Amino acid sequence: MALIAPSLLSADFLHLSRDIQMINNSEADWFHLDVMDGRFVPNISFGLPVIAAIKREAKKTLDVHLMIEEPGKYAQDFKNAGADILSVHLEACPHLHRNLQQIKGLGMKAGIAINPHTPVHLLFDVLHDTDVVCMMSVNPGFGGQKFIQQTIEKIVVLKKEIARRGVSTLIEIDGGVTFENAKEIVEAGADVLVAGNTVFSTANPATAISNLKSISK
Ligand code: DX5
Ligand code: ZN
């Protein structure tokens, strides 16, 4: 059974409180929060004060996905804002091992996000220090994009390596997850499904979450 992490990027920011309550009362497992700086990705989303506000109402794990340059500069700030899991992009971190140690040292779970074009073996040597791999299945920056099918092969390769090394790293798939492809993604080895558009473009987001949950059994 996969964990479901609705992405608030597709929520109604005017009614954020309502959407947080909906997630609190749903079968969702985590809140997925997408932070974009307009540098690492060609879009700007929200940052520290918004996450701190979400923390006051959210009753589930805050999974913060940093699509920013020099994420190490802000790790302490995201801890203070309430992040439980902090993922940094491999492509933004020339000293990734140091970033992972820093995040764990601050008491958060450490995640690595990787872009669709990045070979997954680049993170094998730090897998033992990684709690979550946030594998991008779209180009980061926007919600509502189409799932890149090549991701399935990357999941299979990563799952095998996680088993070979005997580590407990979770594989999180981020981007383009739908009712149609969720099963295939979980069968390939995903442990966590992020879903923005699939949850928030429906009339009943809580039902969408519960449908995703039962599809990914
Ligand atoms: C994209 C973000 C995703 C996004 C997923 O840059 O990292 O988390 O919100 O949205 P959907 O599920 O709509 O592809
Ligand atoms: Zn994300």
Side-chain angles (χ1 to χ4, degrees):
M1 163 107 52
L3 303 180
I4 307 297
S7 166
L8 283 188
L9 191 61
S10 300
D12 180 349
F13 290 159
L14 193 57
H15 299 105
L16 208 43
S17 178
R18 180 199 64 193
D19 289 348
I20 294 167
Q21 295 296 346
M22 180 280 293
I23 293 174
N24 280 343
N25 297 322
S26 76
E27 289 177 51
D29 298 278
W30 297 351
F31 285 80
H32 185 81
L33 305 177
D34 290 301
V35 177
M36 306 178 184
D37 66 354
R39 301 280 298 169
F40 181 71
V41 287
N43 197 8
I44 298 175
S45 58
F46 51 79
L48 293 160
V50 173
I51 292 179
I54 292 169
K55 184 70 176 181
R56 301 206 321 257
E57 200 152 88
K59 295 202 170 73
K60 298 178 180 180
T61 297
L62 294 196
D63 170 37
V64 177
H65 175 193
L66 295 184
M67 284 161 273
I68 66 173
E69 290 181 356
E70 300 191 83
K73 276 191 181 172
Y74 306 99
Q76 175 75 66
D77 295 330
F78 282 101
K79 168 68 184 174
N80 296 346
D84 298 298
I85 303 169
L86 196 65
S87 293
V88 296
H89 263 268
L90 180 148
E91 302 83 3
C93 296
H95 306 288
L96 187 55
H97 181 265
R98 177 182 293 154
N99 292 93
L100 296 170
Q101 300 305 320
Q102 180 196 22
I103 294 167
K104 286 154 95 81
L106 288 167
M108 294 176 282
K109 296 225 185 280
I112 304 175
I114 58 166
N115 281 337
H117 74 276
T118 302
V120 71
H121 68 256
L122 291 182
L123 53 78
F124 284 0
D125 289 332
V126 287
L127 262 184
H128 54 282
D129 283 311
T130 309
D131 296 300
V132 183
V133 172
C134 177
M135 190 183 281
M136 294 307 304
S137 36
V138 298
N139 287 297
F142 303 92
Q145 303 180 78
K146 190 177 175 307
F147 183 82
I148 298 172
Q149 196 60 28
Q150 178 63 26
T151 312
I152 296 292
E153 263 182 59
K154 289 173 80 174
I155 301 172
V156 171
V157 170
L158 177 57
K159 193 73 173 182
K160 226 181 250 169
E161 188 65 15
I162 287 169
R164 193 181 76 77
R165 291 181 184 244
V167 293
S168 52
T169 311
L170 297 177
I171 303 178
E172 175 179 38
I173 299 305
D174 189 7
V177 173
T178 64
F179 300 125
E180 288 70 35
N181 62 20
K183 193 163 190 66
E184 182 187 14
I185 295 169
V186 172
E187 281 174 359
D191 304 292
V192 187
L193 300 179
V194 174
N197 192 56
T198 294
V199 166
F200 287 101
S201 69
T202 59
N204 193 333
T207 306
I209 292 168
S210 120
N211 289 343
L212 275 176
K213 190 87 186 172
S214 51
I215 293 169
S216 63
K217 262 185 187 136

